Amino acid sequence: MKKTASALAASLALSTLLVACGGGGDDTPSVPKVAASVSDDTQFFNRVATFAVCAQIGSSCETREATAAEIVAASTDGMTLIYTNSPKDEVGFVDITDPSAPQALGALAMGGEPTSITVQGNHALIAVNTSASFTAPSGKLVVVDIATRTVVHEIALGGQPDSIAISKDGKYVAVVIENERDEDAGDGRPAQLPGGKLVIVDAVGAPATWKTRDVALGNLAMRFPTDPEPEYVSINDNNVAVVTLQENNHIVLVDLATGQLTRDFSAGTVSLTQIDLTDAPRPNQVSLTESLSDRLREPDGVTWVSTTQFVTANEGDLDGGSRGFTLFNTDGSVAYDAGNTMEHLMARIGHTNDKRSDAKGNEPENVASGRFDRTDYLFVASERSSVLAVYDLSQANAPALKQVLPSAQAPEGVLTIPSRNLVITASEETNPVSGGPAVFAALNIYQYQKAPAQYPTIASVNRTDGTPIPWSALSGLAAAPTGSLVYAVDDAFFRGNRIFEIDTSVKPARLQREIRITDPNGLIAGLATSLPDTPSGSTFDDADLAALVNNADKSVNIDPEGIAIASSGGFWIASEGAVGKSANLIFKVSATGVIEDIIQLPADVNAKQTSNGYEGIAEADGKLVVAFQRTWTGDTHPRIGVYDLATQTWSFLFYPLDLPTSPNGGWVGLSEIMALGNNRFAVIERDNQAGPDATVKKIYRIDLTGKADGSVLSKTLVRDLLPDLRATKGHVLEKIEGLARLANGDVYIVNDNDGVDLGSGETQLIKLGKIFN
């Protein structure tokens, strides 16, 4: 069958994601090959909207109140979303008649903490935790009329509820009563009574007539048998409920009609190889070389994919976390286990959360399934990597990765609405910090479309050992003199800093080479005696400099924030300093990453240093031009430093920043500089705000012609980047730190995802087109 251009692009995106190739490292990689097939390569899920939960309080989210979106359900017609907001003890309502433009409909107080939600007909059924303490748990089922958003009935549940599900025929509601443990009591481990149970609600007739039945779950598991802690429940078409007992590492099947347990079994263990288990203190390094034996699955979310098979998300809790998902048969046998593939996927797309490496890695939190246009799909939400992985279930016992979708931070709930070709995630993480970049809990809305996959924008090839090149925190960008290649660097979040070669001619762009920056000749150590004191009186001493290059392979631990192609070959790297720890330095490195020279600031300028220094570098007409992020001590504007390569002398100009205009305050600074020719340069100016708080993300042009040392520059707006960032349909990303122009004139920007630390990890490499004359 002849493919359209969109279909071909989609197929290319898939093949890049599923690379099973040799090569990598400093060698040219072999051609990626598709590792598994999908049944439809013309349709993909793409994000069409993000609804920030704070929009229920104020349309511009000026509030700093904590909010969450933990679990989400939809009205029967799929036009209204209802989600749990536990910090505010309420449920929220959102109109998605137009899924690309969700509208706030208000919230309803629950008289306790809502933990889960489902829908029967015109009613939303909400599990609410009203516990006075861990030892005195209580809860209720609240029945709400969706149209009027009023409570019509409440049913006591006899414990602290967690997950809730309803049978397809609407006859039975299953409510997991977790009676969760106190993690601060003793050593935080079970047994802590009372134990949990399952409550069956017979939901025939008016809600006021509904009755409940309890199903005991004690004395089933080998682990903590007296203290069952059920976590999630799902119901198949035969009205059989599957219940995960996470801390107990156990799974239970219950016939809802009779209330009888039909089977129970251990969730088992998984052994993994080629994963990263070391959560080193900052700076970090992802190393997919470690192994893990017999790790308990400790499943969290669960979903039926047929009447005979279900899938668990193996988040882990106490001692577990196999970092993937498992397809079980109802007899307890394993039909498929994801093994290390989700960990490798996160590394490939820049979403590895290295601060969780020693714990449970990407932590798959929840799963959902649905049939879209005759294809069955599985959706796996990763809490720590903040993505939704999509798998095609067309081949029996062989889930095939179709794509990965970016989510707001920490997705918990996953909902499929096949009748409207929609998938929803509810992301609970919120950090309403004032002044700095806030994190916004949100609902992400994805649509199944005849269109290529829009994410990821960058995916890496494999190293020679078969693992993907791990990457993240891209903090600078430079284009090769010819062709479609760009080069990026990772910043101080990682040790053993690298330069990345990225081919933009394919989608997603292919990160196809890593070049380690090294100092085999000891040039950094030779700087110790020439670095002056800082304004605070701190001295850069031998120990500080040794810390910059203390790795056995002579790789360096600097803070690359800018990269430029050197006309003499190799690269220029601008490394940002930190007061009392390191200086702002320019490194000339070879094409293979070896440091060949180091350029320092004049002593009087270096003495003014703050912790917001170099953020970009460009070479033009025999000069290096560096952008300082913010104003240094005694100055009135940030500096643009100009270093003459022939005379080895500095001059400095000053750049007038826009004022902060965000409702959340914060600051505005420079993030990148790029040469345009004829002594003109482009800079990125941004505030330190994200999501609805972001107001300044701009590209300006400056002209250095005839400007004397100490002059204040003028600037011309080239492009407001907010429309480009909003076009991704996610939260506006904070750190736009890379800017490059290909030889054909196409301009790209990229953001620094901060190493998936206190952020979702989303990286957007965005093509702006030919925006410069």
Side-chain angles (χ1 to χ4, degrees), residues 292-619:
L292 191 65
S293 297
D294 300 323
R295 181 53 59 99
L296 300 175
R297 289 191 171 97
E298 289 185 355
D300 198 357
V302 63
T303 185
W304 289 95
V305 295
S306 71
T307 57
T308 60
Q309 291 186 315
F310 57 86
V311 174
T312 61
N314 303 326
E315 180 205 21
D317 194 359
L318 290 172
D319 308 304
S322 62
R323 305 165 188 246
F325 62 90
T326 305
L327 175 63
F328 283 98
N329 299 311
T330 51
D331 64 2
S333 60
V334 172
Y336 173 87
D337 191 277
N340 64 12
T341 58
M342 285 197 69
E343 290 287 273
H344 285 193
L345 175 61
M346 302 313 157
R348 191 180 305 286
I349 64 173
H351 277 261
T352 293
N353 187 329
D354 193 43
K355 287 196 171 182
R356 301 296 300 176
S357 291
D358 68 334
K360 292 158 283 186
N362 75 91
E363 292 190 35
E365 174 83 7
N366 207 351
V367 284
S369 60
R371 170 166 286 198
F372 291 80
D373 193 23
R374 301 182 300 279
T375 300
D376 291 320
Y377 290 111
L378 171 70
F379 304 86
V380 184
S382 168
E383 179 182 12
R384 298 296 180 175
S385 292
S386 298
V387 296
L388 186 68
V390 185
Y391 295 85
D392 187 320
L393 299 178
S394 299
Q395 300 179 38
N397 303 329
L401 177 67
K402 182 178 178 69
Q403 62 181 121
V404 185
L405 299 166
S407 172
Q409 193 167 343
E412 169 90 15
V414 185
L415 170 70
T416 62
I417 313 176
S419 63
R420 298 198 64 202
N421 281 333
L422 299 178
V423 177
I424 317 294
T425 58
S427 294
E428 62 181 334
E429 190 70 23
T430 180
N431 182 20
V433 61
S434 295
V439 175
F440 298 93
L443 300 174
N444 282 124
I445 304 174
Y446 312 93
Q447 189 174 59
Y448 194 50
Q449 308 170 330
K450 281 196 174 296
Q454 295 170 1
Y455 198 82
T457 59
I458 302 173
S460 69
V461 304
N462 284 355
R463 290 170 166 169
T464 54
D465 65 357
T467 65
I469 298 174
W471 62 273
S472 201
L474 303 184
S475 58
L477 204 63
T482 61
S484 60
L485 297 181
V486 296
Y487 294 87
V489 285
D490 56 12
D491 63 22
F493 187 84
F494 294 101
R495 64 191 306 171
N497 300 105
R498 294 169 295 167
I499 299 167
F500 301 110
E501 182 181 270
I502 302 171
D503 183 357
T504 64
S505 69
V506 294
K507 290 186 177 181
R510 183 168 54 228
L511 194 157
Q512 61 188 21
R513 187 181 176 211
E514 56 182 334
I515 305 169
R516 191 80 61 182
I517 303 173
T518 60
D519 186 21
N521 302 314
L523 297 186
I524 290 178
L527 297 174
T529 58
S530 61
L531 291 173
D533 292 351
T534 66
S536 64
S538 300
T539 300
F540 302 109
D541 57 22
D542 291 332
D544 294 320
L545 287 168
L548 299 182
V549 57
N550 62 358
N551 304 325
D553 61 356
K554 299 299 182 181
S555 62
V556 300
N557 305 329
I558 59 176
D559 188 8
E561 292 289 344
I563 182 172
I565 307 297
S567 59
S568 59
F571 306 92
W572 298 105
I573 305 295
S575 178
E576 186 176 23
V579 171
K581 294 182 180 179
S582 60
N584 288 269
L585 301 169
I586 297 173
F587 296 93
K588 170 61 172 64
V589 304
S590 71
T592 58
V594 175
I595 295 176
E596 299 175 330
D597 193 14
I598 305 175
I599 299 172
Q600 302 176 58
L601 286 168
D604 61 329
V605 175
N606 204 88
K608 295 172 173 285
Q609 174 179 317
T610 69
S611 289
N612 298 98
Y614 289 164
E615 281 290 317
I617 187 168
E619 182 192 343

Side-chain angles (χ1 to χ4, degrees), residues 3 31 45 49 88-89 103 117 142 179 301 333 340 361 401 435 437 446 458 558 591 639 694 741 752:
K3 294 183 178 179
V31 178
F45 296 89
K88 294 184 69 64
D89 287 350
Q103 301 295 315
I117 187 168
V142 179
N179 291 344
S333 60
N340 64 12
L401 177 67
Y446 312 93
I458 302 173
I558 59 176
R639 292 175 179 246
R741 181 172 65 168
D752 174 0

Side-chain angles (χ1 to χ4, degrees), residues 120-137:
Q120 185 209 53
N122 298 323
H123 296 133
L125 314 180
I126 302 113
V128 179
N129 176 19
T130 58
S131 301
S133 67
F134 290 103
T135 57

Side-chain angles (χ1 to χ4, degrees), residues 60-109:
S60 299
C61 284
E62 291 90 349
T63 178
R64 297 298 108 186
E65 296 180 58
T67 58
E70 188 172 11
I71 301 297
V72 60
S75 57
T76 305
D77 62 4
M79 298 296 178
T80 302
L81 298 180
I82 313 102
Y83 63 89
T84 61
N85 185 346
S86 58
K88 294 184 69 64
D89 287 350
E90 66 185 25
V91 293
F93 299 83
V94 181
D95 181 355
I96 59 165
T97 302
D98 179 355
S100 66
Q103 301 295 315
L105 293 176
L108 178 64

Side-chain angles (χ1 to χ4, degrees), residues 98-336:
D98 179 355
S100 66
Q103 301 295 315
L105 293 176
L108 178 64
M110 287 288 99
E113 176 196 11
T115 60
S116 190
I117 187 168
T118 191
V119 167
Q120 185 209 53
N122 298 323
H123 296 133
L125 314 180
I126 302 113
V128 179
N129 176 19
T130 58
S131 301
S133 67
F134 290 103
T135 57
S138 64
K140 60 185 179 180
L141 179 65
V142 179
V143 183
V144 172
D145 184 283
I146 297 172
T148 63
R149 299 191 289 282
T150 57
V151 175
V152 298
H153 190 59
E154 295 185 356
I155 300 172
L157 294 173
Q160 173 255 317
D162 198 346
S163 174
I164 184 173
I166 191 167
S167 60
K168 187 175 181 179
D169 59 17
K171 291 181 178 180
Y172 306 106
V173 178
V175 186
V176 160
I177 305 299
E178 182 180 12
N179 291 344
E180 63 185 359
R181 72 189 192 283
D182 183 355
E183 296 185 22
D184 296 323
D187 62 0
R189 298 176 68 83
Q192 295 182 26
L193 300 180
K197 61 182 179 181
L198 179 69
V199 173
I200 301 172
V201 182
D202 294 307
V204 176
T209 67
W210 293 355
K211 305 297 182 184
T212 63
R213 293 175 280 145
D214 288 357
V215 180
L217 301 175
N219 299 312
L220 299 175
M222 293 292 292
R223 288 169 55 84
F224 321 117
T226 63
D227 186 14
E229 291 196 29
E231 194 77 28
Y232 265 90
V233 60
S234 179
I235 304 172
N236 69 13
D237 289 353
N238 292 337
N239 290 341
V240 174
V242 56
V243 180
T244 57
L245 281 62
Q246 186 171 23
E247 289 80 2
N248 310 92
N249 197 45
H250 211 70
I251 295 170
V252 177
L253 302 181
V254 179
D255 182 277
L256 296 178
T258 64
Q260 298 299 307
L261 276 67
T262 60
R263 192 178 295 273
D264 70 278
F265 46 86
S266 169
T269 64
V270 177
S271 294
L272 304 173
T273 61
Q274 294 185 315
I275 60 173
D276 181 24
L277 298 175
T278 304
D279 181 15
R282 253 178 113 171
N284 309 289
Q285 189 171 39
V286 177
S287 177
L288 300 174
T289 59
E290 298 171 277
S291 299
L292 191 65
S293 297
D294 300 323
R295 181 53 59 99
L296 300 175
R297 289 191 171 97
E298 289 185 355
D300 198 357
V302 63
T303 185
W304 289 95
V305 295
S306 71
T307 57
T308 60
Q309 291 186 315
F310 57 86
V311 174
T312 61
N314 303 326
E315 180 205 21
D317 194 359
L318 290 172
D319 308 304
S322 62
R323 305 165 188 246
F325 62 90
T326 305
L327 175 63
F328 283 98
N329 299 311
T330 51
D331 64 2
S333 60
V334 172
Y336 173 87

